[in-house]
Amino acid sequence: MTFAFALHVLVGLSPVLGFLAALVFLDSYKLVAMRAVVLVVLSGVAAAVACYFANGWLLGRLALDLASYSRYVAPVVEELAKGLVIVALLRANRNLRMLSAVKDLIGDATSEPALFDALCRSMAQLGGYPTVYVARADDDAAKSVVVLAAEGIPAEQRRRLNISWGDNERGQGVAGTAVRENRPCLIHDVRSDPRFAPWRAMAVSLGYEAVIALPLRVAGRAWGVLALASTQ
């Protein structure tokens, strides 16, 4: 069984491996990164292995003979697996493009405000995030978190955010927690999580489902945050 399984995988992958080898060999300008090739191959292997076990499991539970299963069910399972791999690769490529753009912005920035504005705009456009903002943590009495640049938040709602990084009601959201605890903070469901209660109405009106804040550190201390919202 083990040898047969390995042979099936090898035969199934041989056309893809041959094509990728030719692609790398002919790519004299090195437009395709080897890391991307390896990622595609590993994704294909994972999909093939998943289909092998999924088909075996389904065949043992469905009242179908092998010929009928191979004709009507197996192709559906395999196409679904391919679709999932394509979606995962597209998402990974989107994130890589976003990180590359951020790197270029940091190198080209002429001022801090211009950098933050461009950062929010690029992450919203390339990353597909409906809202992105950069905020600074102040050491005032209210322990305020002040938004310096934002994309996707109307100006009126931005003024009413009133975020704190203190241990109080308005400091339990992702931005306040990320600053206070100097760690990334994620809320999966803004509609039900009690920590997001002060901003729930705004989040629902903008279609948010989840939010995350990443601390921006200076000398190891959380100077501020980069926050992103998602509709997924």
Side-chain angles (χ1 to χ4, degrees):
M1 176 64 71
T2 302
F3 175 76
F5 170 69
L7 184 62
H8 274 83
V9 172
L10 182 60
V11 171
L13 288 176
S14 57
V16 177
L17 293 175
F19 171 76
L20 291 175
L23 179 65
V24 173
F25 178 76
L26 296 173
D27 184 22
S28 58
Y29 291 98
K30 302 305 176 186
L31 299 176
V32 179
M34 183 58 66
R35 181 175 60 180
V37 175
V38 173
L39 177 62
V40 170
V41 172
L42 292 178
S43 299
V45 171
V49 172
C51 287
Y52 180 84
F53 287 107
N55 283 325
W57 184 84
L58 287 171
L59 183 59
R61 284 159 177 78
L62 296 177
L64 293 173
D65 57 73
L66 180 59
S68 298
Y69 181 89
S70 300
R71 182 175 182 180
Y72 298 110
V73 180
V76 176
V77 173
E78 292 163 7
E79 291 304 317
L80 286 174
K82 290 178 187 178
L84 291 174
V85 169
I86 291 172
V87 170
L89 291 174
L90 288 174
R91 290 179 65 88
N93 183 59
R94 182 189 71 177
N95 291 335
L96 288 174
R97 287 191 292 112
M98 182 179 67
L99 292 174
S100 177
V102 169
K103 180 180 177 182
D104 292 340
L105 287 173
I106 293 174
D108 297 340
T110 57
S111 66
E112 190 175 89
L115 170 61
F116 292 156
D117 284 335
L119 175 66
C120 293
R121 185 167 56 253
S122 294
M123 295 192 75
Q125 293 173 353
L126 296 178
Y129 298 103
T131 292
V132 181
Y133 71 79
V134 174
R136 180 189 67 232
D138 286 349
D139 283 319
D140 57 358
K143 295 185 176 180
S144 305
V145 177
V146 180
V147 176
L148 302 177
E151 186 75 15
I153 306 179
E156 180 182 349
Q157 291 180 326
R158 191 186 310 181
R159 287 191 294 269
R160 293 191 281 109
L161 286 174
N162 190 18
I163 305 170
S164 171
W165 59 272
D167 192 9
N168 52 56
E169 181 187 15
R170 304 195 74 85
Q172 305 307 312
V174 291
T177 302
V179 171
R180 186 173 60 256
E181 301 183 6
N182 197 10
R183 65 170 180 83
C185 181
L186 169 66
I187 290 181
H188 292 280
D189 186 357
V190 300
R191 297 171 185 268
S192 61
D193 197 307
R195 295 175 295 171
F196 210 72
W199 309 279
R200 180 168 295 126
M202 182 197 74
V204 170
S205 70
L206 295 175
Y208 300 168
E209 293 292 338
V211 289
I212 188 172
L214 310 172
L216 301 176
R217 299 187 179 103
V218 175
R221 180 178 179 272
W223 171 88
V225 292
L226 170 65
L228 307 97
S230 173
T231 56
Q232 301 177 358

